[in-house]
Amino acid sequence: MLDYIIVGSGLAGIAFSETLLANNKSFVVFENQSQKSTRIAGGLYNPVILKRFSEVWNAKEQLALAYDFYAKIESRLNVKLDFRIPIYRKFFSVEEQNNWFIASDKPNLSPFLSTEIIKKNYPGIESPFGYGEVLQTGYVDTALLFDVYHQYLEQLNSLRKETFSYSAIEFLDDYIQYGDLKAKHIVFAEGFGMHSNPFFNYLLLDGTKGELFIIKAPDLKIDVIINTSVFILPLGNDLFKIGATYNWKDKTDLPTESGKIELIDRIKEIINCEFEIVEHFAGIRPTVNDRRPLLGSHQNFKNLHVLNGLGTRGVMLAPAMAIDLFNYIEFKKPLDKTIDIKRYSIS
């Protein structure tokens, strides 16, 4: 008898797997690699919403859990995943500078926004108004995390590389039968794939397409993440990850010409040197209209649970949300009402 079956092994599935391991629970993960959002994600973590100069929901608590979460995986798997480097917000006017200073005076933002204007000349970028530095930032190499964690699950004999069949679930008195597996619970962590899930497809998971580039720019010399309308993330060897677009209508994970043009235009607004597009890729973020994750249990099938809707901040959200869902299932600890799927009803 397994404690859990997990469907999906992106950031949400990995975080829940780690939570189960920490609590000595047995599990099997199903993964068919149909969802690409974790693999192609920028992987940035940033406690401030820079468009509105507001704090990310529960940022302090989420960051603390995330630092510990990635450090433990790095230690166990002997791999480097978490890169803590500053994010510099490029200013385009004195007004933007003033808005930054106003924001940095707010008690909830002061731990995350430096009050010093960074006046540094980076080759390849003109910035006469300087930069504002966001503190406690960095990025996680999500593609590497995805690959090494799958290898780890295989070593544990806990990974099945196959598509999960919803119709094959048998509901018995106090457990679930799925083929040769018996489990007390199933957690669906499918990202945008949740739309095919007959148990949870009533939830308002919108999904936002994002397109990104890897570019080569030998004349661009930066050692920080530059953030404006897009981010520029240095990868080494003159390579940079650039992202991302937001498309709420197109639900395919194929790169588009319109996305390419949009990214090129935005890059040219920031840098003034030549660049070559090395790779162009796309994926669907599991976003929710109210910008809150989707956690909870099915109202009719109490053995079925969901962990989804982590959106653009999955790197920060996943560890905290996995712990919240585990405590809810195992110890009946109530979920925050803003993330509980009870805020939606089955029609």
Side-chain angles (χ1 to χ4, degrees):
M1 175 72 73
L2 291 169
D3 292 305
Y4 286 86
I5 291 172
I6 303 172
V7 182
S9 67
L11 280 170
I14 290 171
F16 201 76
S17 297
E18 280 291 286
T19 304
L20 295 181
L21 287 169
N23 288 276
N24 298 310
K25 298 293 184 180
S26 57
F27 64 95
V28 165
V29 178
F30 282 76
E31 172 59 56
N32 65 2
Q33 300 202 30
S34 63
Q35 302 302 311
K36 300 179 180 179
S37 60
T38 292
R39 179 179 283 281
I40 72 156
L44 274 61
Y45 54 87
N46 172 8
V48 181
I49 301 170
L50 291 173
K51 285 184 179 179
R52 299 186 293 275
F53 286 123
S54 56
E55 181 190 9
V56 170
W57 170 69
N58 283 349
K60 185 176 180 181
E61 295 82 356
Q62 289 173 19
L63 276 174
L65 289 170
Y67 287 151
D68 183 62
F69 173 82
Y70 296 111
K72 285 180 177 175
I73 297 178
E74 286 179 330
S75 176
R76 191 184 327 127
L77 303 187
N78 192 29
V79 66
K80 181 64 176 173
L81 298 168
D82 183 8
F83 298 85
R84 301 187 189 183
I85 64 175
I87 291 178
Y88 282 10
R89 169 69 155 81
K90 179 181 173 179
F91 297 133
F92 289 88
S93 66
V94 172
E95 182 183 9
E96 286 193 353
Q97 291 178 342
N98 291 336
N99 290 339
W100 180 273
F101 285 124
I102 292 169
S104 65
D105 273 341
K106 297 178 181 178
N108 61 329
L109 292 179
S110 59
F112 305 125
L113 298 180
S114 170
T115 56
E116 177 186 357
I117 297 293
I118 305 295
K119 292 284 189 178
K120 189 170 181 179
N121 295 318
Y122 286 108
I125 300 181
E126 289 184 8
S127 185
F129 298 99
Y131 305 89
E133 180 180 356
V134 189
L135 308 174
Q136 302 185 50
T137 62
Y139 75 96
V140 171
D141 187 336
T142 56
L144 182 59
L145 171 64
F146 189 85
D147 290 340
V148 298
Y149 207 84
H150 278 204
Q151 295 170 13
Y152 177 59
L153 290 174
E154 286 183 309
Q155 292 169 10
L156 297 177
N157 292 318
S158 295
L159 181 66
R160 295 202 175 185
K161 296 180 178 180
E162 58 188 81
T163 298
F164 187 86
S165 174
Y166 308 106
S167 61
I169 300 174
E170 295 181 59
F171 296 94
L172 302 171
D173 288 342
D174 56 354
Y175 66 94
I176 285 166
Q177 184 83 41
Y178 181 84
D180 62 325
L181 300 177
K182 295 179 181 178
K184 298 175 185 176
H185 304 280
I186 300 179
V187 170
F188 293 102
E190 304 163 288
F192 190 67
M194 191 185 76
H195 279 278
S196 300
N197 187 323
F199 300 103
F200 291 105
N201 59 9
Y202 69 93
L203 297 173
L204 298 182
L205 184 73
D206 186 19
T208 310
K209 182 171 183 173
E211 300 190 45
L212 301 93
F213 285 163
I214 301 293
I215 67 166
K216 189 175 183 68
D219 297 326
L220 180 60
K221 306 296 183 184
I222 59 173
D223 55 1
V224 298
I225 300 167
I226 303 295
N227 184 291
T228 57
S229 58
V230 293
F231 66 81
I232 304 177
L233 168 63
L235 300 175
N237 299 317
D238 300 326
L239 296 175
F240 302 86
K241 181 177 280 190
I242 309 286
T245 63
Y246 289 82
N247 187 322
W248 287 267
K249 294 182 179 179
D250 183 358
K251 305 303 182 184
T252 70
D253 58 8
L254 299 175
T256 65
E257 187 64 23
S258 60
K260 179 179 180 179
I261 292 170
E262 181 181 344
L263 279 177
I264 290 173
D265 288 345
R266 291 188 182 185
I267 294 169
K268 289 181 177 178
E269 290 175 355
I270 305 168
I271 70 175
N272 57 11
C273 60
E274 296 296 318
F275 62 90
E276 171 194 355
I277 300 170
V278 175
E279 191 174 357
H280 178 194
F281 41 93
I284 308 295
R285 310 174 186 91
T287 53
V288 185
N289 290 340
D290 63 7
R291 295 192 172 96
R292 287 290 188 269
L294 299 169
L295 276 70
S297 304
H298 196 281
Q299 66 183 41
N300 298 325
F301 302 101
K302 302 305 181 184
N303 307 80
L304 304 185
H305 318 279
V306 65
L307 175 58
N308 210 317
L310 303 185
T312 60
R313 301 187 183 273
V315 163
M316 275 180 62
L317 274 171
M321 295 301 96
I323 292 171
D324 282 356
L325 181 62
F326 179 81
N327 289 336
Y328 172 74
I329 296 170
E330 294 288 335
F331 308 115
K332 310 304 179 187
K333 182 179 178 181
L335 293 166
D336 185 311
K337 291 181 180 179
T338 64
I339 64 175
D340 195 327
I341 60 171
K342 289 177 183 174
R343 67 190 192 272
Y344 301 109
S345 60
I346 299 176
S347 57

PDB file of all heavy atoms in Angstrom, residues 231-257:
ATOM      1  N   PHE A 231      13.367  39.988 -18.794  1.00  0.00           N
ATOM      2  CA  PHE A 231      14.575  39.787 -18.002  1.00  0.00           C
ATOM      3  C   PHE A 231      15.696  39.307 -18.910  1.00  0.00           C
ATOM      4  O   PHE A 231      15.465  38.654 -19.937  1.00  0.00           O
ATOM      5  CB  PHE A 231      14.347  38.796 -16.863  1.00  0.00           C
ATOM      6  CG  PHE A 231      14.053  37.377 -17.290  1.00  0.00           C
ATOM      7  CD1 PHE A 231      15.075  36.507 -17.666  1.00  0.00           C
ATOM      8  CD2 PHE A 231      12.747  36.908 -17.312  1.00  0.00           C
ATOM      9  CE1 PHE A 231      14.806  35.201 -18.068  1.00  0.00           C
ATOM     10  CE2 PHE A 231      12.468  35.594 -17.711  1.00  0.00           C
ATOM     11  CZ  PHE A 231      13.498  34.749 -18.092  1.00  0.00           C
ATOM     12  N   ILE A 232      16.925  39.654 -18.534  1.00  0.00           N
ATOM     13  CA  ILE A 232      18.128  39.167 -19.211  1.00  0.00           C
ATOM     14  C   ILE A 232      18.956  38.450 -18.153  1.00  0.00           C
ATOM     15  O   ILE A 232      19.444  39.062 -17.206  1.00  0.00           O
ATOM     16  CB  ILE A 232      18.938  40.309 -19.843  1.00  0.00           C
ATOM     17  CG1 ILE A 232      18.064  41.121 -20.805  1.00  0.00           C
ATOM     18  CG2 ILE A 232      20.165  39.756 -20.552  1.00  0.00           C
ATOM     19  CD1 ILE A 232      18.788  42.316 -21.416  1.00  0.00           C
ATOM     20  N   LEU A 233      19.107  37.145 -18.332  1.00  0.00           N
ATOM     21  CA  LEU A 233      19.765  36.300 -17.339  1.00  0.00           C
ATOM     22  C   LEU A 233      21.066  35.754 -17.924  1.00  0.00           C
ATOM     23  O   LEU A 233      21.050  35.012 -18.903  1.00  0.00           O
ATOM     24  CB  LEU A 233      18.834  35.145 -16.956  1.00  0.00           C
ATOM     25  CG  LEU A 233      19.408  33.984 -16.148  1.00  0.00           C
ATOM     26  CD1 LEU A 233      19.891  34.461 -14.792  1.00  0.00           C
ATOM     27  CD2 LEU A 233      18.357  32.890 -15.965  1.00  0.00           C
ATOM     28  N   PRO A 234      22.233  36.148 -17.356  1.00  0.00           N
ATOM     29  CA  PRO A 234      23.504  35.649 -17.883  1.00  0.00           C
ATOM     30  C   PRO A 234      23.710  34.173 -17.550  1.00  0.00           C
ATOM     31  O   PRO A 234      23.554  33.752 -16.407  1.00  0.00           O
ATOM     32  CB  PRO A 234      24.542  36.526 -17.160  1.00  0.00           C
ATOM     33  CG  PRO A 234      23.879  36.968 -15.900  1.00  0.00           C
ATOM     34  CD  PRO A 234      22.414  37.076 -16.215  1.00  0.00           C
ATOM     35  N   LEU A 235      24.066  33.392 -18.579  1.00  0.00           N
ATOM     36  CA  LEU A 235      24.284  31.957 -18.415  1.00  0.00           C
ATOM     37  C   LEU A 235      25.753  31.572 -18.515  1.00  0.00           C
ATOM     38  O   LEU A 235      26.112  30.425 -18.256  1.00  0.00           O
ATOM     39  CB  LEU A 235      23.496  31.189 -19.479  1.00  0.00           C
ATOM     40  CG  LEU A 235      21.979  31.370 -19.478  1.00  0.00           C
ATOM     41  CD1 LEU A 235      21.358  30.646 -20.668  1.00  0.00           C
ATOM     42  CD2 LEU A 235      21.369  30.881 -18.173  1.00  0.00           C
ATOM     43  N   GLY A 236      26.612  32.513 -18.901  1.00  0.00           N
ATOM     44  CA  GLY A 236      28.016  32.213 -19.138  1.00  0.00           C
ATOM     45  C   GLY A 236      28.279  31.941 -20.603  1.00  0.00           C
ATOM     46  O   GLY A 236      27.367  31.649 -21.394  1.00  0.00           O
ATOM     47  N   ASN A 237      29.564  32.071 -21.007  1.00  0.00           N
ATOM     48  CA  ASN A 237      29.974  31.816 -22.395  1.00  0.00           C
ATOM     49  C   ASN A 237      29.227  32.689 -23.387  1.00  0.00           C
ATOM     50  O   ASN A 237      28.881  32.236 -24.489  1.00  0.00           O
ATOM     51  CB  ASN A 237      29.796  30.339 -22.758  1.00  0.00           C
ATOM     52  CG  ASN A 237      30.632  29.417 -21.896  1.00  0.00           C
ATOM     53  OD1 ASN A 237      31.796  29.710 -21.629  1.00  0.00           O
ATOM     54  ND2 ASN A 237      30.041  28.327 -21.442  1.00  0.00           N
ATOM     55  N   ASP A 238      28.954  33.939 -22.982  1.00  0.00           N
ATOM     56  CA  ASP A 238      28.274  34.926 -23.834  1.00  0.00           C
ATOM     57  C   ASP A 238      26.832  34.556 -24.151  1.00  0.00           C
ATOM     58  O   ASP A 238      26.234  35.111 -25.083  1.00  0.00           O
ATOM     59  CB  ASP A 238      29.038  35.152 -25.157  1.00  0.00           C
ATOM     60  CG  ASP A 238      30.440  35.672 -24.940  1.00  0.00           C
ATOM     61  OD1 ASP A 238      30.635  36.442 -23.982  1.00  0.00           O
ATOM     62  OD2 ASP A 238      31.342  35.298 -25.720  1.00  0.00           O
ATOM     63  N   LEU A 239      26.260  33.625 -23.386  1.00  0.00           N
ATOM     64  CA  LEU A 239      24.872  33.223 -23.588  1.00  0.00           C
ATOM     65  C   LEU A 239      23.976  33.864 -22.530  1.00  0.00           C
ATOM     66  O   LEU A 239      24.368  34.020 -21.371  1.00  0.00           O
ATOM     67  CB  LEU A 239      24.736  31.703 -23.518  1.00  0.00           C
ATOM     68  CG  LEU A 239      25.458  30.892 -24.598  1.00  0.00           C
ATOM     69  CD1 LEU A 239      25.329  29.410 -24.315  1.00  0.00           C
ATOM     70  CD2 LEU A 239      24.912  31.230 -25.988  1.00  0.00           C
ATOM     71  N   PHE A 240      22.745  34.197 -22.930  1.00  0.00           N
ATOM     72  CA  PHE A 240      21.796  34.844 -22.032  1.00  0.00           C
ATOM     73  C   PHE A 240      20.397  34.290 -22.294  1.00  0.00           C
ATOM     74  O   PHE A 240      20.009  34.085 -23.448  1.00  0.00           O
ATOM     75  CB  PHE A 240      21.780  36.363 -22.259  1.00  0.00           C
ATOM     76  CG  PHE A 240      23.126  37.010 -22.078  1.00  0.00           C
ATOM     77  CD1 PHE A 240      24.023  37.068 -23.138  1.00  0.00           C
ATOM     78  CD2 PHE A 240      23.497  37.534 -20.856  1.00  0.00           C
ATOM     79  CE1 PHE A 240      25.271  37.640 -22.983  1.00  0.00           C
ATOM     80  CE2 PHE A 240      24.745  38.114 -20.694  1.00  0.00           C
ATOM     81  CZ  PHE A 240      25.637  38.169 -21.749  1.00  0.00           C
ATOM     82  N   LYS A 241      19.666  34.057 -21.221  1.00  0.00           N
ATOM     83  CA  LYS A 241      18.264  33.685 -21.353  1.00  0.00           C
ATOM     84  C   LYS A 241      17.436  34.965 -21.299  1.00  0.00           C
ATOM     85  O   LYS A 241      17.645  35.810 -20.418  1.00  0.00           O
ATOM     86  CB  LYS A 241      17.823  32.725 -20.247  1.00  0.00           C
ATOM     87  CG  LYS A 241      16.369  32.278 -20.365  1.00  0.00           C
ATOM     88  CD  LYS A 241      15.985  31.261 -19.295  1.00  0.00           C
ATOM     89  CE  LYS A 241      16.448  29.879 -19.652  1.00  0.00           C
ATOM     90  NZ  LYS A 241      15.881  28.837 -18.738  1.00  0.00           N
ATOM     91  N   ILE A 242      16.501  35.091 -22.220  1.00  0.00           N
ATOM     92  CA  ILE A 242      15.663  36.292 -22.335  1.00  0.00           C
ATOM     93  C   ILE A 242      14.200  35.879 -22.249  1.00  0.00           C
ATOM     94  O   ILE A 242      13.766  34.963 -22.935  1.00  0.00           O
ATOM     95  CB  ILE A 242      15.880  37.007 -23.685  1.00  0.00           C
ATOM     96  CG1 ILE A 242      17.368  37.240 -23.963  1.00  0.00           C
ATOM     97  CG2 ILE A 242      15.075  38.312 -23.720  1.00  0.00           C
ATOM     98  CD1 ILE A 242      17.999  38.320 -23.172  1.00  0.00           C
ATOM     99  N   GLY A 243      13.439  36.556 -21.402  1.00  0.00           N
ATOM    100  CA  GLY A 243      12.017  36.246 -21.354  1.00  0.00           C
ATOM    101  C   GLY A 243      11.260  37.282 -20.540  1.00  0.00           C
ATOM    102  O   GLY A 243      11.850  38.109 -19.868  1.00  0.00           O
ATOM    103  N   ALA A 244      10.011  37.213 -20.549  1.00  0.00           N
ATOM    104  CA  ALA A 244       9.241  36.281 -21.372  1.00  0.00           C
ATOM    105  C   ALA A 244       8.006  37.022 -21.847  1.00  0.00           C
ATOM    106  O   ALA A 244       7.626  38.062 -21.307  1.00  0.00           O
ATOM    107  CB  ALA A 244       8.828  35.041 -20.560  1.00  0.00           C
ATOM    108  N   THR A 245       7.375  36.481 -22.853  1.00  0.00           N
ATOM    109  CA  THR A 245       6.123  37.061 -23.341  1.00  0.00           C
ATOM    110  C   THR A 245       4.951  36.518 -22.517  1.00  0.00           C
ATOM    111  O   THR A 245       5.087  35.537 -21.785  1.00  0.00           O
ATOM    112  CB  THR A 245       5.890  36.715 -24.814  1.00  0.00           C
ATOM    113  OG1 THR A 245       5.766  35.285 -24.937  1.00  0.00           O
ATOM    114  CG2 THR A 245       7.043  37.198 -25.678  1.00  0.00           C
ATOM    115  N   TYR A 246       3.805  37.166 -22.662  1.00  0.00           N
ATOM    116  CA  TYR A 246       2.572  36.722 -22.000  1.00  0.00           C
ATOM    117  C   TYR A 246       1.454  36.722 -23.031  1.00  0.00           C
ATOM    118  O   TYR A 246       1.077  37.772 -23.541  1.00  0.00           O
ATOM    119  CB  TYR A 246       2.209  37.651 -20.832  1.00  0.00           C
ATOM    120  CG  TYR A 246       3.128  37.530 -19.658  1.00  0.00           C
ATOM    121  CD1 TYR A 246       4.358  38.195 -19.637  1.00  0.00           C
ATOM    122  CD2 TYR A 246       2.794  36.740 -18.554  1.00  0.00           C
ATOM    123  CE1 TYR A 246       5.225  38.078 -18.566  1.00  0.00           C
ATOM    124  CE2 TYR A 246       3.650  36.616 -17.469  1.00  0.00           C
ATOM    125  CZ  TYR A 246       4.857  37.284 -17.477  1.00  0.00           C
ATOM    126  OH  TYR A 246       5.716  37.157 -16.419  1.00  0.00           O
ATOM    127  N   ASN A 247       0.956  35.531 -23.340  1.00  0.00           N
ATOM    128  CA  ASN A 247      -0.131  35.396 -24.302  1.00  0.00           C
ATOM    129  C   ASN A 247      -1.251  34.591 -23.642  1.00  0.00           C
ATOM    130  O   ASN A 247      -1.051  33.425 -23.305  1.00  0.00           O
ATOM    131  CB  ASN A 247       0.371  34.697 -25.578  1.00  0.00           C
ATOM    132  CG  ASN A 247      -0.655  34.669 -26.688  1.00  0.00           C
ATOM    133  OD1 ASN A 247      -1.850  34.493 -26.442  1.00  0.00           O
ATOM    134  ND2 ASN A 247      -0.202  34.835 -27.919  1.00  0.00           N
ATOM    135  N   TRP A 248      -2.411  35.208 -23.467  1.00  0.00           N
ATOM    136  CA  TRP A 248      -3.509  34.564 -22.755  1.00  0.00           C
ATOM    137  C   TRP A 248      -4.453  33.801 -23.687  1.00  0.00           C
ATOM    138  O   TRP A 248      -5.374  33.153 -23.215  1.00  0.00           O
ATOM    139  CB  TRP A 248      -4.297  35.600 -21.959  1.00  0.00           C
ATOM    140  CG  TRP A 248      -3.551  36.088 -20.748  1.00  0.00           C
ATOM    141  CD1 TRP A 248      -3.628  35.595 -19.476  1.00  0.00           C
ATOM    142  CD2 TRP A 248      -2.603  37.150 -20.695  1.00  0.00           C
ATOM    143  NE1 TRP A 248      -2.779  36.277 -18.638  1.00  0.00           N
ATOM    144  CE2 TRP A 248      -2.140  37.249 -19.355  1.00  0.00           C
ATOM    145  CE3 TRP A 248      -2.081  38.044 -21.647  1.00  0.00           C
ATOM    146  CZ2 TRP A 248      -1.191  38.185 -18.948  1.00  0.00           C
ATOM    147  CZ3 TRP A 248      -1.128  38.978 -21.237  1.00  0.00           C
ATOM    148  CH2 TRP A 248      -0.703  39.037 -19.900  1.00  0.00           C
ATOM    149  N   LYS A 249      -4.233  33.874 -24.999  1.00  0.00           N
ATOM    150  CA  LYS A 249      -5.148  33.231 -25.948  1.00  0.00           C
ATOM    151  C   LYS A 249      -4.576  31.939 -26.537  1.00  0.00           C
ATOM    152  O   LYS A 249      -5.279  30.953 -26.662  1.00  0.00           O
ATOM    153  CB  LYS A 249      -5.493  34.216 -27.073  1.00  0.00           C
ATOM    154  CG  LYS A 249      -6.309  35.422 -26.590  1.00  0.00           C
ATOM    155  CD  LYS A 249      -6.663  36.339 -27.751  1.00  0.00           C
ATOM    156  CE  LYS A 249      -7.487  37.531 -27.268  1.00  0.00           C
ATOM    157  NZ  LYS A 249      -7.834  38.456 -28.380  1.00  0.00           N
ATOM    158  N   ASP A 250      -3.318  31.967 -26.919  1.00  0.00           N
ATOM    159  CA  ASP A 250      -2.686  30.805 -27.558  1.00  0.00           C
ATOM    160  C   ASP A 250      -2.321  29.782 -26.478  1.00  0.00           C
ATOM    161  O   ASP A 250      -1.533  30.071 -25.574  1.00  0.00           O
ATOM    162  CB  ASP A 250      -1.434  31.272 -28.311  1.00  0.00           C
ATOM    163  CG  ASP A 250      -0.740  30.142 -29.068  1.00  0.00           C
ATOM    164  OD1 ASP A 250      -1.207  28.985 -28.975  1.00  0.00           O
ATOM    165  OD2 ASP A 250       0.269  30.422 -29.731  1.00  0.00           O
ATOM    166  N   LYS A 251      -2.888  28.596 -26.557  1.00  0.00           N
ATOM    167  CA  LYS A 251      -2.630  27.549 -25.551  1.00  0.00           C
ATOM    168  C   LYS A 251      -1.734  26.435 -26.087  1.00  0.00           C
ATOM    169  O   LYS A 251      -1.707  25.340 -25.535  1.00  0.00           O
ATOM    170  CB  LYS A 251      -3.954  26.958 -25.057  1.00  0.00           C
ATOM    171  CG  LYS A 251      -4.947  27.983 -24.505  1.00  0.00           C
ATOM    172  CD  LYS A 251      -4.376  28.811 -23.367  1.00  0.00           C
ATOM    173  CE  LYS A 251      -5.426  29.789 -22.825  1.00  0.00           C
ATOM    174  NZ  LYS A 251      -4.898  30.669 -21.783  1.00  0.00           N
ATOM    175  N   THR A 252      -0.978  26.717 -27.150  1.00  0.00           N
ATOM    176  CA  THR A 252      -0.021  25.736 -27.649  1.00  0.00           C
ATOM    177  C   THR A 252       1.356  26.035 -27.053  1.00  0.00           C
ATOM    178  O   THR A 252       1.623  27.152 -26.592  1.00  0.00           O
ATOM    179  CB  THR A 252       0.082  25.785 -29.177  1.00  0.00           C
ATOM    180  OG1 THR A 252       0.736  27.000 -29.579  1.00  0.00           O
ATOM    181  CG2 THR A 252      -1.295  25.710 -29.804  1.00  0.00           C
ATOM    182  N   ASP A 253       2.235  25.028 -27.075  1.00  0.00           N
ATOM    183  CA  ASP A 253       3.589  25.253 -26.570  1.00  0.00           C
ATOM    184  C   ASP A 253       4.599  25.373 -27.709  1.00  0.00           C
ATOM    185  O   ASP A 253       5.773  25.048 -27.562  1.00  0.00           O
ATOM    186  CB  ASP A 253       3.999  24.141 -25.598  1.00  0.00           C
ATOM    187  CG  ASP A 253       3.943  22.758 -26.224  1.00  0.00           C
ATOM    188  OD1 ASP A 253       3.743  22.666 -27.445  1.00  0.00           O
ATOM    189  OD2 ASP A 253       4.104  21.773 -25.480  1.00  0.00           O
ATOM    190  N   LEU A 254       4.129  25.896 -28.844  1.00  0.00           N
ATOM    191  CA  LEU A 254       4.995  26.076 -30.008  1.00  0.00           C
ATOM    192  C   LEU A 254       5.445  27.534 -30.113  1.00  0.00           C
ATOM    193  O   LEU A 254       4.637  28.460 -29.946  1.00  0.00           O
ATOM    194  CB  LEU A 254       4.254  25.685 -31.292  1.00  0.00           C
ATOM    195  CG  LEU A 254       3.769  24.233 -31.380  1.00  0.00           C
ATOM    196  CD1 LEU A 254       2.940  24.034 -32.640  1.00  0.00           C
ATOM    197  CD2 LEU A 254       4.952  23.276 -31.345  1.00  0.00           C
ATOM    198  N   PRO A 255       6.713  27.783 -30.385  1.00  0.00           N
ATOM    199  CA  PRO A 255       7.184  29.153 -30.600  1.00  0.00           C
ATOM    200  C   PRO A 255       6.474  29.790 -31.792  1.00  0.00           C
ATOM    201  O   PRO A 255       6.121  29.104 -32.758  1.00  0.00           O
ATOM    202  CB  PRO A 255       8.676  28.985 -30.884  1.00  0.00           C
ATOM    203  CG  PRO A 255       9.033  27.655 -30.319  1.00  0.00           C
ATOM    204  CD  PRO A 255       7.803  26.802 -30.481  1.00  0.00           C
ATOM    205  N   THR A 256       6.251  31.095 -31.714  1.00  0.00           N
ATOM    206  CA  THR A 256       5.536  31.797 -32.779  1.00  0.00           C
ATOM    207  C   THR A 256       6.371  32.944 -33.327  1.00  0.00           C
ATOM    208  O   THR A 256       7.267  33.465 -32.658  1.00  0.00           O
ATOM    209  CB  THR A 256       4.204  32.374 -32.256  1.00  0.00           C
ATOM    210  OG1 THR A 256       4.488  33.379 -31.261  1.00  0.00           O
ATOM    211  CG2 THR A 256       3.340  31.282 -31.641  1.00  0.00           C
ATOM    212  N   GLU A 257       6.045  33.351 -34.544  1.00  0.00           N
ATOM    213  CA  GLU A 257       6.735  34.479 -35.157  1.00  0.00           C
ATOM    214  C   GLU A 257       6.395  35.778 -34.424  1.00  0.00           C
ATOM    215  O   GLU A 257       7.261  36.646 -34.242  1.00  0.00           O
ATOM    216  CB  GLU A 257       6.355  34.591 -36.637  1.00  0.00           C
ATOM    217  CG  GLU A 257       7.150  35.628 -37.414  1.00  0.00           C
ATOM    218  CD  GLU A 257       8.635  35.314 -37.502  1.00  0.00           C
ATOM    219  OE1 GLU A 257       9.004  34.131 -37.368  1.00  0.00           O
ATOM    220  OE2 GLU A 257       9.418  36.265 -37.706  1.00  0.00           O
TER     221      GLU A 257
END
